[in-house]
Amino acid sequence: MRKLSISVVFAAMLTAGPVTTAFAASSVPINAIGVENEYADVISQVGGQYVRVQAVETDPNTDPHTFEASPKVAREIAAAQLIVENGVGYDAWADKIMSASARPNRKVINVQTLLGLPDNTANPHLWYDPKTMPAVAKAIAADLAALQPAQAAYFHANADKFIASLEPWNAAIAAFKVKYGQTPIAVTEPVADYMLEAMGFNILTPFSLQKAIMDGTDPAPQDVTTQNDLFATNRVKVFAYNQQVTDTLTKSFLDESRKAGIPVVGVYETMPTPGYTYQSWMLAEVAALEKALTNKVSTETLQK
């Protein structure tokens, strides 16, 4: 993964001061942070009126791999009672802030750890995996219940409701796989690969090229040639284009796809906002991919 430039302002953490206050009163909303806004959305849906949620990475027009924490972000993380982070090195800067600002009883959900994934997991974009958010919702409910035991039933009921609300997405994935399984697709990087694989797509872009783009390193020339050939020979039916990690090379692939008349579907590192929940975002991605195959229509952006 691209090396994060984290001039995370440890001086700012010092200004946050020592954290010793116990959070006990059930009438006070739990202060929670989702490092990526898709996780913040799930916290909000599970915690409802009993949480005050902030998201750190929220801009669907910027590259999250180059995120730099501000002093304000450092203070917010230092003060949070519940934090949900992705892990797999994706948001390692948040770990550094937490290490420098220890808080008794702070609840941290590291999604990588929650899912039992090793550090060398090749694809860190865990939120596109249909198995991820049900586990995250249950963990959030458990941690919120520990912080406010009086509302435990409310949190667990909301987690169950959230998980049930994912059924239309799961059904759309299953239906797509039956209808379009093994459809060849090209991508820029593995941001949506977990979902594409669940949908039955045959991803033809070499993973070494995807990884090079994700990591910001120079790809092998033969991989670039392979990718260009996918477009020139119409070997793929759709092109999943990461709208947030772009450079001259990915834009050249976009041009080749357009030139060949291959529909393009935009995919994202953070949830497009406003107007989406996690569930509606995922459903919109599936709908855009189906529209690309049935009508050969591009949905290059999901921004409303």
Side-chain angles (χ1 to χ4, degrees):
M1 181 183 306
R2 180 174 300 174
K3 195 99 173 158
L4 290 169
S5 61
I6 36 172
S7 41
V8 179
V9 253
F10 289 98
M13 290 181 263
L14 293 176
T15 64
V19 181
T20 55
T21 304
F23 290 81
S26 61
S27 60
V28 177
I30 296 167
N31 189 14
I33 284 183
V35 174
E36 293 77 21
N37 64 351
E38 48 266 34
Y39 295 125
D41 181 61
V42 180
I43 299 172
S44 180
Q45 292 190 52
V46 173
Q49 62 186 304
Y50 298 104
V51 295
R52 180 173 53 242
V53 187
Q54 298 181 81
V56 177
E57 299 199 25
T58 61
D59 189 345
N61 299 306
T62 60
D63 181 353
H65 297 287
T66 59
F67 179 81
E68 294 186 29
S70 67
K72 177 175 180 290
V73 166
R75 288 193 295 271
E76 290 170 348
I77 287 181
Q81 296 165 269
L82 169 66
I83 298 170
V84 180
E85 61 175 353
N86 185 74
V88 205
Y90 191 83
D91 39 19
W93 55 266
D95 292 322
K96 295 183 179 182
I97 294 175
M98 285 186 275
S99 295
S101 56
R103 168 182 284 277
N105 302 321
R106 174 193 285 152
K107 303 291 185 184
V108 178
I109 298 172
N110 179 299
V111 178
Q112 173 198 352
T113 303
L114 179 69
L115 299 178
L117 299 174
D119 289 342
N120 63 353
T121 298
N123 183 0
H125 307 99
L126 306 180
W127 55 90
Y128 266 104
D129 188 334
K131 297 188 296 295
T132 295
M133 287 308 188
V136 171
K138 290 179 181 176
I140 290 170
D143 281 351
L144 292 177
L147 290 166
Q148 281 196 6
Q151 310 305 333
Y154 174 86
F155 298 137
H156 288 297
N158 278 352
D160 290 343
K161 182 179 176 183
F162 170 80
I163 293 168
S165 74
L166 294 172
E167 182 50 32
W169 178 43
N170 291 321
I173 287 173
F176 187 99
K177 187 173 184 178
V178 169
K179 195 171 181 180
Y180 299 108
Q182 291 303 305
T183 295
I185 189 171
V187 302
T188 49
E189 67 157 279
V191 58
D193 279 11
Y194 290 121
M195 186 184 75
L196 298 175
E197 289 161 357
M199 296 171 73
F201 273 109
N202 182 15
I203 302 170
L204 296 188
T205 300
F207 190 80
S208 51
L209 175 60
Q210 298 180 52
K211 188 173 188 314
I213 292 172
M214 177 174 69
D215 293 348
T217 59
D218 292 332
Q222 58 267 36
D223 284 345
V224 175
T225 299
T226 297
Q227 179 87 330
N228 282 327
D229 284 347
L230 295 178
F231 302 125
T233 60
N234 271 273
R235 288 181 58 207
V236 293
K237 301 299 183 186
V238 60
F239 178 39
Y241 184 77
N242 186 350
Q243 292 285 5
Q244 290 180 247
V245 179
T246 62
D247 57 19
T248 302
L249 180 61
T250 66
K251 290 175 182 173
S252 74
F253 293 150
L254 184 61
D255 289 341
E256 292 301 313
S257 179
R258 289 169 173 164
K259 193 186 310 177
I262 295 167
V264 178
V265 171
V267 291
Y268 294 84
E269 306 264 350
T270 50
M271 185 170 67
T273 55
Y276 286 103
T277 61
Y278 173 76
Q279 302 95 309
S280 64
W281 171 32
M282 290 293 112
L283 266 175
E285 294 284 12
V286 175
L289 289 161
E290 184 159 8
K291 189 166 71 173
L293 295 181
T294 56
N295 300 327
K296 296 189 180 304
V297 171
S298 293
T299 306
E300 294 196 16
T301 176
L302 291 179
Q303 290 285 87
K304 295 181 177 179

